[in-house]
Structure formats: C-alpha cells, structure tokens
Amino acid sequence: DLLYVFDSWTVPYAIIGRYLAGNRKTPWIYHTIDWLEPGRYPLRSMIEKWACRYAAVAINTDRTRARLQQTLYKLPEMPTWVPNYLSINEKIPERDETLRKSIMPSDASQNSILLVHPTIASPARLVVELIKALSMVDKRVVLFQIAVDNEYKRICQDIAEKCGVAGRIVFHQPVSYWKLMQILKCADISAIFHDHRSSSGYFLCNADRLSLLCTCGVPFVASNYPNMEAIVYRYGLGECCDPYSPESIASALNKLLHGDTSLEERKKRVRISFEESLNFEKYGYLLLDTFERALNK
C-alpha cells in the first residue's frame, strides 16, 4: 500500500525494484537522514532531487536541511522534518559504579570527573583538539575515548604524552550500543564536535549523539555551529565553543564544571529536556501525517 524509501543510497534500488514488481502506482515516501553535499556528488544529488520531487512526500531530519533541499531542488513544498530523537520509552541502564571504576584510569581518584566521548576517534571528530584542551581544564577530568588501532589513535596518544595528560585518558575499543549506553550512564560530561570543513552536513549537525546524551542525562560541550548552538542553549544542555580551538574547548569545559549551575542540576535539566521536548514522540505525529498525505495522494 505504501513504499518507504529510507536514505539516499537506497533510492536507485528501490525505484528499480518498484518498476520490476509492477507497482508503479504505489505511493512512496522518501526519507533521508543524511545531507548530500551540494556539488560533491552530482549523480547522487540528481537522483535525490528526482526523489524529492516525485515521491508523494519527502522527509528530512532537520528543518534547516529541509529548507535548503526545497531551495536547491526547487521543490513546490518544503520536505517534512522529523528529528531522529530516541523514544521516550528507550530502555536505559542503571548507573553502575563498578563499571565506572573499571573504565577509569587506574590511578584516578574518587572525585574524578568522567568525560565520555561516545564516538570513534577520527579527524572528523576533532579528538586531538579535545585532548589538547584536557591539559587546560580541571585536573580531575579524565577522558574515555573510543578508538580503533590506527594512525589517528597513535597521533592522539603522542599528543596526550606531549601535553602531559596521557594518564588521564583511556582509549577503549568500540563497544555495542547497549554497552555504550551503560558507559554513558557512568559519565559526568561529554562532547559533540564535528569538523565542518569536510561536510556541510557536519555544519548542520545531525542529532544522533545529542539525542543519546539527552536520553542518558549527560551535559556536554559542543561545536558552536548555529543549529547545535540553538538547541544547546534553548534547552540548557551544556556549553558551546570553537571546536578547532583547544583554549575555547577548555573554557567551555571549565564553565560547564564551575559555572553558576551545578553539574548535578545540569544533568537533571538535560534529562528533563529529553522527557519534555527532545524525544521522538514529540514529533512522531508529523511522521504519521506524512503517511496519510502519501496515501491520500
């Protein structure tokens, strides 16, 4: 009755399959969670433009992206936008003090502040800049960084040694989604950084990690890009900074830890923001509305 095409790379296969199956009249929805960099992928952009124009309904995860798609693809109406926030019913683990102790540096004190960075170390996530900032923040802050054994990890380790913070960092292999949730429940603070120079999508900032941190009630520092900054300060989720400047990152971290609002109050505010506003159910009706519109068309 309805074909749901999810993400740009699936469009050619879905359309070919639709024609081969002989159901050309079946209404279809195009839903993208990424952003095709204008000018970088001409063929894929042309296919996505076609999908946005000829699908019964187009959906994006962000209002700014949806407006840009309408402008760039000359669409008669703006795609619906449905943020990819987690459900209010998402299962969340309990805080595990034994786990927290096991993922901390061996010589960490009881009053250490655990910064969990829930992403694999890469240049796009600006981990080197975060490590450099560590030398300028409260000495109690320790970093839990996910990393694979590659050249960038070795660069990070060398930088940590040079900055004198190697003893405050734990590099850990990638973990399952549930394990990551358990680790985040042990965190005191976190970070969300993107190198926007590699992609306008990074500048527009997808909300995957933002939603994950809000679900777990973890305040964070983030890139001072307009979309991210607007959400962070509107809901009191943390502090924003220039992600390319270790000094700016350090300043934001220190403000997060020693500002007018206590860390415990910040944690409560982040979780409340998730429960009241930053959850899937808050926007789910928009998705249901697109189904009705597609079927009516």
Side-chain angles (χ1 to χ4, degrees):
D1 300 304
L2 186 64
L3 179 63
Y4 199 97
V5 182
F6 194 78
D7 226 352
S8 61
W9 70 272
T10 67
V11 173
Y13 304 100
I15 299 308
I16 292 171
R18 181 168 175 257
Y19 275 80
L20 291 176
N23 59 348
R24 301 181 188 182
K25 294 184 178 180
T26 300
W28 60 289
I29 291 173
Y30 171 55
H31 188 161
T32 177
I33 61 168
D34 62 5
W35 172 253
L36 290 181
E37 180 82 21
R40 181 175 290 189
Y41 307 107
L43 180 58
R44 285 182 61 191
S45 292
M46 183 176 67
I47 293 171
E48 182 173 75
K49 179 179 180 179
W50 181 88
C52 289
R53 283 186 171 184
Y54 290 98
V57 180
I59 305 172
N60 207 311
T61 58
D62 177 86
R63 182 167 50 190
T64 303
R65 298 180 193 213
R67 291 192 186 282
L68 280 171
Q69 275 189 314
Q70 183 182 15
T71 300
L72 293 173
Y73 296 157
K74 296 179 171 54
L75 306 178
E77 62 181 40
M78 185 180 86
T80 301
W81 64 284
V82 182
N84 52 334
Y85 294 147
L86 294 175
S87 169
I88 197 71
N89 299 312
E90 183 80 10
K91 186 179 179 182
I92 304 171
E94 295 294 327
R95 184 180 172 100
D96 185 339
E97 293 298 334
T98 301
L99 174 62
R100 177 183 164 91
K101 186 176 180 180
S102 72
I103 62 175
M104 299 277 268
S106 56
D107 57 349
S109 63
Q110 287 188 336
N111 65 343
S112 291
I113 299 167
L114 179 59
L115 192 169
V116 174
H117 197 210
T119 185
I120 295 175
S122 70
R125 296 295 190 258
L126 302 172
V127 177
V128 162
E129 288 73 11
L130 180 59
I131 290 172
K132 289 180 179 178
L134 204 62
S135 65
M136 294 176 271
V137 300
D138 191 316
K139 297 278 191 289
R140 295 175 297 163
V141 177
V142 298
L143 171 63
F144 178 90
Q145 176 63 59
I146 298 171
V148 295
D149 189 20
N150 58 18
E151 182 60 27
Y152 190 73
K153 176 185 176 181
R154 289 185 281 277
I155 291 172
C156 289
Q157 290 172 323
D158 289 343
I159 295 292
E161 289 287 350
K162 291 177 182 177
C163 292
V165 296
R168 294 164 57 191
I169 302 175
V170 171
F171 290 99
H172 197 283
Q173 71 271 18
V175 297
S176 68
Y177 176 76
W178 179 247
K179 184 69 174 182
L180 181 60
M181 291 281 276
Q182 291 177 310
I183 292 170
L184 279 174
K185 283 299 291 182
C186 298
D188 297 304
I189 55 176
S190 189
I192 303 176
F193 296 141
H194 297 90
D195 183 357
H196 79 278
R197 295 168 298 188
S198 61
S199 167
S200 62
Y202 284 148
F203 180 76
L204 295 171
C205 289
N206 206 330
D208 283 350
R209 279 176 291 152
L210 183 146
S211 183
L212 188 61
L213 295 177
C214 290
T215 305
C216 294
V218 182
F220 56 89
V221 294
S223 307
N224 60 354
Y225 305 151
N227 280 11
M228 179 65 77
E229 203 168 41
I231 294 175
V232 168
Y233 289 131
R234 178 179 181 181
Y235 295 104
L237 307 177
E239 301 291 338
C240 290
C241 59
D242 178 355
Y244 301 101
S245 166
E247 292 79 12
S248 181
I249 296 171
S251 177
L253 284 169
N254 285 325
K255 190 173 181 180
L256 190 66
L257 297 173
H258 307 300
D260 296 334
T261 306
S262 71
L263 197 55
E264 286 307 311
E265 282 299 313
R266 284 186 181 273
K267 289 179 181 180
K268 291 177 183 177
R269 184 182 297 177
V270 171
R271 178 62 194 181
I272 289 171
S273 294
F274 168 71
E275 293 173 353
E276 293 181 349
S277 304
L278 305 177
N279 60 73
F280 175 77
E281 282 72 15
K282 189 76 175 180
Y283 298 88
Y285 73 94
L286 294 171
L287 196 58
L288 294 177
D289 179 60
T290 62
F291 294 162
E292 292 185 4
R293 287 167 56 203
L295 289 170
N296 288 336
K297 284 187 178 181

